[in-house]
Amino acid sequence: MTTQLNALQRYVKDQNLDFAYLSDPTTISYFSGYEGEPHERVLGLVVFPEAAPFLFTPALDAEDARNSGWSDDIYSYQDHQKPWEMIAEQIKQRTDGNDIAIEKDHLTVDRYESLQDALGFVQAADITPEIQKIKVIKSEDELKKMQIAGDWADKALEIGFAALHEGVTEKEVVAEIEYQLKKLGNEGMSFETIVLFGDHAASPHGVPGDRKLKREELVLFDLGCAYKGYMSDTSRTIAFGTPSDKAREIYDIVLQAQTQAIESIRPGVTAEEVDRAARSVIENAGYGEYFTHRLGHGIGKSIHEFPNIMEGNPLVLKEGMCFSIEPGIYLPEVAGVRIEDCFVVTKNGCEPFTQTPKQYREI
Ligand code: MN
């Protein structure tokens, strides 16, 4: 059993729970090592205070689960069978108690009620906060994987910059990045790659389209790559030709905001203090209303996870926490600038997972 699963089992025991039912495939892979994608079928991991945990998978995935290195029991069901009754039967063989916990941020109401019907419990506690607490501190092994995921993201940016030429469309640049990466053996992107030209980048989560690149505009890239289930996430904004003074001005402010935030990161500082460090730079420059999102988000096996780096989050940073720092200014009809890297908190500061230079650059 992994140290992480041990920690979860200890929590189940300390809380006098009879079992915890985990349903999120990302959580399950984190604790079990089995990377499953059940789609609409049922995948579960059940953790008891004393008895060994078990995995429950669709029958067509059982072999993969067995080959993943999971050494405890695996049960599976075929499509015509009743998964919830089968899960309940296995649970009842191990405990007759009904003090249970579930992932409230994942289990659907429909599935919760099916589990409830099969087991007869009245209500369930939420185990999500404890899972977040365990996940938030990354191990050496996780950090190594995140570093490789970051190296891939740097490579992706390099390919993206090289693909810029007059008349190319946003979609074509995305296609070029993903095609080249696949050929190099990349596992996959962390999320839909974003490439936005000029004022189109004024929408922070804009969707790449058929807009053609013109000279004298900014290009915003936001992308990430997966490596062994771990994610990277980075954004760069680069000039194609010489854009307007306004565009250049907001670039410099965003870079200064990011630099200020990075310099503030160390164990003992709170998440909101880091957000403030960046936000105050943008506010003081008069663009506060154009920075419309939190400064950053946690990252690991999921692209967005605990903790949020934002106003109102008093969470105290600790060594081993990983998150993005991504200030942006989005000026409607002018340009959008975002600069983003993910970091791990170290003993005295932080280290980035991506290295692509950030000084203002025209190509
Ligand atoms: Mn991000």
Side-chain angles (χ1 to χ4, degrees), residues 227-257:
Y227 179 75
K228 299 209 165 152
Y230 283 81
M231 304 299 165
S232 57
D233 188 4
T234 184
S235 303
R236 286 292 181 273
T237 309
I238 189 164
F240 185 68
T242 307
S244 65
D245 292 348
K246 199 73 174 165
R248 174 67 204 261
E249 183 195 345
I250 62 174
Y251 187 92
D252 291 342
I253 296 163
V254 171
L255 181 56
Q256 202 200 330

Side-chain angles (χ1 to χ4, degrees), residues 32-33 64-72:
S32 73
D64 286 346
R66 251 173 234 121
N67 291 335
S68 70
W70 175 256
S71 52
D72 288 305

Side-chain angles (χ1 to χ4, degrees), residues 144 146-156 225 232 353-355:
K144 274 186 203 144
M146 291 177 73
Q147 183 54 61
I148 296 172
D151 294 344
W152 275 108
D154 281 326
K155 185 80 199 158
C225 298
S232 57
F353 293 106
T354 37
Q355 310 292 339

